[in-house]
Amino acid sequence: MSVKRLSYVLIASTLLSGCSTSQVLENWHTPSAWFGEDNNTADSNNPLDSDEVVVAQGDEGLKKSVASGNGDQASDAPLDDAIAPELRKQAREAREKLDNPRSSQDVATSESDLWDRLRAGFQMDHSVDNARVQAQLDWYARHPRYIDRVVERGSRYLYHILEETEKRGLPNELALLPIVESAFDPFAYSHGRAAGLWQFIPSTGKYFGLTQSWWHDDRRDVIAATDAALTYLDRLANRFDGDYTLALAAYNAGGGTVSSSIRRNRNAGKSTDYWSLSLPTETRHYVPKLIALAKIFDDPEAYGIELPALKNEPFFEVVDTGSQLDIAQAAELAGVEINEIYLLNPSYNRWATNPDGPHRLLVPVEKAEGFRTALADFPTEQRVSWQNYRVQKGDSLNTIARKFSTTPSVIQQVNKLNSDLIRIGQQLLIPSATKGSETYALSQSQRLQRTQERQRDGNKVNYTVRRGDTFWDIAREHRVSVREVAAWNGMAPGDPLIPGKQLVIWSKTAQPTKNVASSQRDSAMVRKVGYRVRQGDSLSAIASRFSVNVRDIASWNDLNTNRYLQPGQSLVLYVDIRNSP
């Protein structure tokens, strides 16, 4: 099929799947949205044709923590500690009930138990006999505490996800996918720039309408991201003729990767089912993880696991707030801990909801009506705190915005400014937080502060990013890896480094300085280069061609050096263009 003809098919399928005509036309007028950089290649930003593997974040980290015996001391433990006390009480009571056989006369039990509802909608084949599935089953069976922890986290979100899964007629196994993707950590952020329960990368999130701003990140929005993820999975299932193992593989590695592997097997006369395909390592273990989890949740006793009971009831309700609202004010009005508001509304980065909307908050269902009543009686002008500020010499909207943890556009909007020009002595009205920064413990800035303050091995260096800096430059100077520098600062290696940004580096150099500036680095001309693997390529061959190290290539792309590269695989390289071919 020609690319042009394929594009018409994509447009038609998009319309049938619920995309508005305006969205299609907008994409049509942006050639790269359909064709990529030229008319001969598919656009990697189109997730249906992508060949980019999205490495899940949270699952392996929590696994390692539990396996090492530090499950309760994991870096993300406060998320679990913030769970509502009444839910913990319900879980304890439920565990006691699980010790007793169910009475056949207890008709209400199955109706009130979320696990029974989950099992009733299982559709995938759990009988597959595969070593990869068995390896995952063995691990989960040896670490029941892991299951306890992800269930405790997921208890806020599972009912809603299951509701949305059933509405679409999708297999209920997909409701367990956030365990694989993020271990149900709503703030999970991977080194591949994937965020939230469903681990959307920026391009795929944008494709499905998940917008990002200084105030918010819809990839972490429980409602919006769940809708986007299930829509994506549904389209992938349709693409692969209802085969959900292939759809799941494509969710992880991109539809283009899976289609290419199917094509290679078909041309070689081999089977084209998921278990027979040659796929990236991450993707080869991705579906087995979900199948193993589904088998455990289907029959936990068979694996020596006791599931904490969950009622078949919604955990939260959506409350219309009407306008921007301080998160601390919302917590007080709703009568809940502020961390609970953040855990149910993890898309909000700052101390308040997004001034541009959507103006809604998720709150525990038992608090919803009281919150609505309190909100109706609460003066609109007090929903955020306001401060009068007199412009001083050297001020700009940017510096003022940083000082008050807001944005220049908000200051412009509130003060009806037609431009970003301000004058000395001018009075500005600035929205600001009602409480101290430490109150907003799960805001983005506070999460980052805790990450940067965590003790690591090495000498701590406070580093200020300069123009032209790259992760590779900084990592090389301090004898650490690119991924380490990014992780220490709550970032991904692909995130932009903005001049002036403060980084924390745990340097391995003997005498680190605040800002290292070597003549070699200043004279280097390092550029980010995209490279597509060719037939016969190896890491050593590519490293030699571009005068870089194999270890660096592996670090930049999260590669296992013991695995073979796949033709067509995309790599990111940071090369000195004076030494490159």
Side-chain angles (χ1 to χ4, degrees), residues 104-371:
S104 59
Q105 299 178 353
D106 189 5
V107 181
T109 300
S110 62
E111 295 178 355
S112 64
D113 186 79
L114 195 66
W115 303 127
D116 283 345
R117 179 181 176 183
L118 177 76
R119 295 174 191 120
F122 280 167
Q123 299 176 31
M124 298 179 68
D125 182 10
H126 298 183
S127 64
V128 60
D129 184 15
N130 184 276
R132 284 177 274 164
V133 174
Q134 190 59 49
Q136 298 296 330
L137 275 170
D138 291 343
W139 192 94
Y140 292 130
R142 291 196 307 270
H143 299 90
R145 176 57 182 152
Y146 175 83
I147 300 296
D148 289 343
R149 285 174 64 78
V150 293
V151 168
E152 190 175 19
R153 287 179 177 178
S155 60
R156 293 176 177 83
Y157 319 113
L158 264 169
Y159 179 90
H160 173 76
I161 293 172
L162 195 54
E163 281 271 296
E164 296 303 308
T165 303
E166 291 175 344
K167 282 180 185 177
R168 292 167 169 79
L170 298 172
N172 279 2
E173 286 92 342
L174 301 185
L176 299 174
L177 192 58
I179 299 178
V180 179
E181 284 290 344
S182 63
F184 269 120
D185 177 356
F187 300 111
Y189 188 64
S190 79
H191 62 268
R193 305 187 71 197
L197 295 174
W198 297 95
Q199 291 289 278
F200 276 99
I201 59 174
S203 58
T204 306
K206 184 177 180 181
Y207 183 92
F208 286 100
L210 303 178
T211 59
Q212 299 171 57
S213 74
W214 187 84
W215 287 98
H216 83 297
D217 188 340
D218 273 346
R219 296 177 300 162
R220 296 197 305 266
D221 186 280
V222 175
I223 293 177
T226 297
D227 177 70
L230 296 179
T231 298
Y232 185 14
L233 286 162
D234 194 22
R235 292 185 189 179
L236 289 169
N238 289 333
R239 171 175 177 154
F240 294 104
D241 300 321
D243 189 325
Y244 284 98
T245 57
L246 295 177
L248 286 160
Y251 186 90
N252 177 248
T257 298
V258 176
S259 292
S260 296
S261 186
I262 290 173
R263 189 162 50 249
R264 286 195 300 271
N265 273 27
R266 185 181 292 120
N267 292 339
K270 298 178 180 179
S271 177
T272 57
D273 64 284
Y274 165 80
W275 306 100
S276 303
L277 297 180
S278 176
L279 294 166
T281 303
E282 167 80 11
T283 312
R284 285 175 55 79
H285 295 290
Y286 187 78
V287 175
K289 284 181 182 179
L290 184 65
I291 296 295
L293 286 166
K295 288 169 72 75
I296 286 172
F297 280 78
D298 196 19
D299 188 7
E301 291 182 1
Y303 302 95
I305 290 175
E306 188 176 44
L307 290 179
L310 287 183
K311 289 186 177 181
N312 185 22
E313 299 173 354
F315 186 90
F316 60 77
E317 277 190 33
V318 181
V319 175
D320 182 10
T321 61
S323 63
Q324 187 181 30
L325 181 63
D326 187 300
I327 302 294
Q329 295 275 30
E332 289 182 5
L333 293 172
V336 298
E337 293 292 327
I338 188 170
N339 281 1
E340 189 65 39
I341 297 293
Y342 274 113
L343 288 167
L344 289 174
N345 302 273
S347 65
Y348 295 125
N349 295 331
R350 311 296 169 183
W351 50 269
T353 61
N354 188 354
D356 297 324
H359 298 302
R360 60 167 168 78
L361 278 174
L362 311 186
V363 297
V365 65
E366 68 275 9
K367 302 290 185 178
E369 198 53 46
F371 182 42

Side-chain angles (χ1 to χ4, degrees), residues 376-396:
D377 296 335
F378 194 68
T380 303
E381 63 273 13
Q382 294 181 26
R383 292 187 175 193
V384 293
S385 178
W386 300 91
Q387 292 194 34
N388 285 304
Y389 181 78
R390 184 183 297 275
V391 177
Q392 317 213 355
K393 185 177 180 180
D395 274 344
S396 68

Side-chain angles (χ1 to χ4, degrees), residues 497-511:
L497 283 175
I498 309 300
K501 183 177 180 63
Q502 299 295 314
L503 301 180
V504 168
I505 303 166
W506 293 90
S507 179
K508 299 298 190 297
T509 57
Q511 294 180 328

